[in-house]
Amino acid sequence: MSKKALVAMSGGVDSSVAAYLTKEMGYSPIGVTMKLFDNEDIGLVREKTCCSLEDIEDARSVAYKLDVPYYVFNFKANFKENVIDRFIEAYKTGATPNPCIDCNRCLKFEKLMQRASELDCDYVVTGHYGIIFYDEASKRYILKKSVDSSKDQSYVLYSLTQQQLSKTLLPLGSMTKDETRKIAEEMGFVNSKKKDSQDICFVPDGDYAKFIEEYSNTKFPCGDFVDTNGNVLGRHKGIIRYTIGQRKGLGLALPRPMYVKEKNVEENKVVLCDNEELFSKELYAKDINLITCDKIERPVRLKAKVRYKQEEQWAIAEQVDNDRLHIVFEQPQRAISKGQAVVLYDGDIVVGGGTIE
């Protein structure tokens, strides 16, 4: 009897092809879409976003073509608590959140894995570009970068535990995006030419500040732009409207380019600086998850990245207690942001990561 696999189907081309490949590999797939929010909840009447009615119908169409069961699971309460509320709270406290990592950690690989167990499924399948394998030498499951470096998503998967890695299949890890689309076209999937979503799914227009104010029914007051010496440079329009490293959209006429260095929530001030002042060599990270080992026993030279699209950079990583890393880069890094993830790599292998303090 073939093993059962619960396939997370967003309605996009990647998860659709993952479902097809799961069946081709001899598993018995069950397609599921996680209903994470209603469009009305995020201020939209009708919009092409992840989890919209259109996406559900696209996923259902693919499941029907593949002749596999298909269900929609309501995870709206979990998504609100673990993703949207965390997103808003991070901005309120001056951090820059990564909701996709929270969604993976709390929804796809926690709640969905629980549901898979209830349905006697052996695996959860997603359309992420990454590779999981079992290493006999270390007796551990390992996460590796995907073959297609332009689509690699290992950065947002660093929080997977050993138990979750052992129960996860990533069929697209050894493929390029072009190969994925070609399969979708050959299969006649309705979404074969569907564009990849670029924005956070619950903020499809990219206006984070507007979403936060409307969703939380809170207005964030204006305050001062100041330089690093405390000199007032002008007025900002609410502290949630700015991110570390930002230059454009400040609404100031300054004699030279200046960038957001810090957000002082207590005093409601946005600190601006020259570009060279954005660079720093070290950081601390909390809420860590390690994949290749239980603990980093001694300082080790690895590569690290502090944002999704960044190239990894050489650094010395040291675990300073059970849930904290200290990372010192060999070269200063620009705009390291509290709330983002730092992920450690040994070549193509993900060592682990955490949330930047």
Side-chain angles (χ1 to χ4, degrees):
M1 184 177 177
S2 60
K3 291 188 174 183
K4 292 165 65 179
L6 199 67
V7 185
M9 300 181 69
S10 66
V13 66
D14 292 333
S15 58
S16 298
V17 173
Y20 163 75
L21 293 174
T22 301
K23 188 172 183 180
E24 286 293 294
M25 290 187 292
Y27 297 96
S28 295
I30 299 174
V32 298
T33 297
M34 296 185 296
K35 182 70 172 173
L36 303 178
F37 53 80
D38 291 320
N39 284 350
E40 292 75 12
D41 295 339
I42 61 170
L44 297 174
V45 176
R46 172 74 174 172
E47 189 69 46
K48 292 181 180 179
T49 70
C50 169
C51 318
S52 70
L53 181 61
E54 180 182 351
D55 290 314
I56 289 173
E57 290 309 313
D58 286 350
R60 193 191 309 276
S61 168
V62 171
Y64 179 80
K65 183 174 279 287
L66 294 175
D67 192 27
V68 301
Y70 174 78
Y71 304 98
V72 178
F73 292 158
N74 186 344
F75 285 130
K76 288 189 291 185
N78 301 116
F79 189 75
K80 178 184 183 301
E81 176 185 356
N82 292 300
V83 180
I84 295 181
D85 289 351
R86 286 189 188 189
F87 176 84
I88 292 173
E89 186 60 27
Y91 267 100
K92 284 182 176 179
T93 56
T96 305
N98 198 318
C100 295
I101 289 176
D102 286 335
C103 185
N104 284 331
R105 175 181 278 175
C106 300
L107 276 296
K108 288 189 179 78
F109 298 105
E110 185 175 310
K111 297 301 181 185
L112 196 58
M113 204 155 270
Q114 290 174 5
R115 192 64 60 90
S117 178
E118 292 165 4
L119 293 171
D120 294 322
C121 289
D122 301 278
Y123 295 99
V124 164
V125 180
T126 75
H128 286 103
Y129 286 81
I131 296 171
I132 297 170
F133 67 94
Y134 184 73
D135 178 49
E136 285 290 347
S138 63
K139 305 297 183 188
R140 298 180 74 89
Y141 286 89
I142 302 298
L143 174 64
K144 183 180 176 181
K145 287 183 186 178
S146 68
V147 167
D148 188 342
S149 59
S150 69
K151 293 300 295 181
D152 175 58
Q153 292 172 296
S154 59
Y155 175 83
V156 298
L157 298 174
Y158 82 86
S159 64
L160 286 173
T161 66
Q162 285 294 300
Q163 192 273 336
Q164 290 168 341
L165 287 165
S166 74
K167 298 289 186 182
T168 300
L169 298 176
L170 304 177
L172 304 186
S174 298
M175 299 174 57
T176 66
K177 180 72 178 197
D178 288 342
E179 290 171 331
T180 300
R181 285 210 182 273
K182 185 177 179 182
I183 289 174
E185 289 172 6
E186 290 173 349
M187 291 298 299
F189 291 162
V190 67
N191 54 13
S192 63
K193 298 187 186 305
K194 193 173 187 176
K195 292 182 179 179
D196 294 341
S197 58
Q198 300 296 323
D199 294 303
I200 295 172
C201 65
F202 55 90
V203 195
D205 64 357
D207 191 341
Y208 304 154
K210 177 185 174 186
F211 168 78
I212 291 169
E213 289 190 331
E214 291 182 354
Y215 191 91
S216 63
N217 195 28
T218 304
K219 285 293 182 184
F220 292 83
C222 298
D224 289 333
F225 282 117
V226 297
D227 63 19
T228 52
N229 294 318
N231 299 309
V232 176
L233 303 173
R235 297 285 285 173
H236 69 69
K237 296 180 180 179
I239 208 160
I240 61 169
R241 285 178 161 77
Y242 308 94
T243 56
I244 306 303
Q246 178 180 340
R247 179 176 72 88
K248 294 182 178 180
L250 300 180
L252 295 175
L254 299 169
R256 65 187 188 280
M258 297 192 77
Y259 304 79
V260 176
K261 177 181 175 64
E262 180 187 345
K263 295 185 286 184
N264 185 328
V265 176
E266 290 74 22
E267 297 181 18
N268 192 28
K269 293 178 179 178
V270 176
V271 181
L272 303 183
C273 68
D274 295 325
N275 184 60
E276 56 268 23
E277 295 178 87
L278 283 175
F279 288 81
S280 54
K281 289 185 73 171
E282 64 180 313
L283 63 84
Y284 285 89
K286 61 182 181 178
D287 297 334
I288 67 174
N289 180 64
L290 298 175
I291 292 176
T292 59
C293 57
D294 289 324
K295 184 178 181 180
I296 297 176
E297 298 289 352
R298 61 187 65 84
V300 59
R301 186 172 185 258
L302 298 165
K303 283 194 169 183
K305 61 193 295 186
V306 295
R307 58 182 58 84
Y308 179 47
K309 291 296 185 182
Q310 182 196 30
E311 285 290 322
E312 304 97 69
Q313 306 292 320
W314 285 110
I316 301 296
E318 180 180 10
Q319 187 169 344
V320 292
D321 62 35
N322 285 338
D323 197 31
R324 205 154 178 253
L325 294 172
H326 180 217
I327 296 170
V328 180
F329 289 93
E330 293 184 359
Q331 299 295 326
Q333 302 300 303
R334 188 181 187 277
I336 296 175
S337 302
K338 179 176 74 170
Q340 289 286 291
V342 57
V343 179
L344 300 171
Y345 290 85
D346 182 2
D348 288 342
I349 303 296
V350 178
V351 175
T355 303
I356 297 170
E357 290 182 337

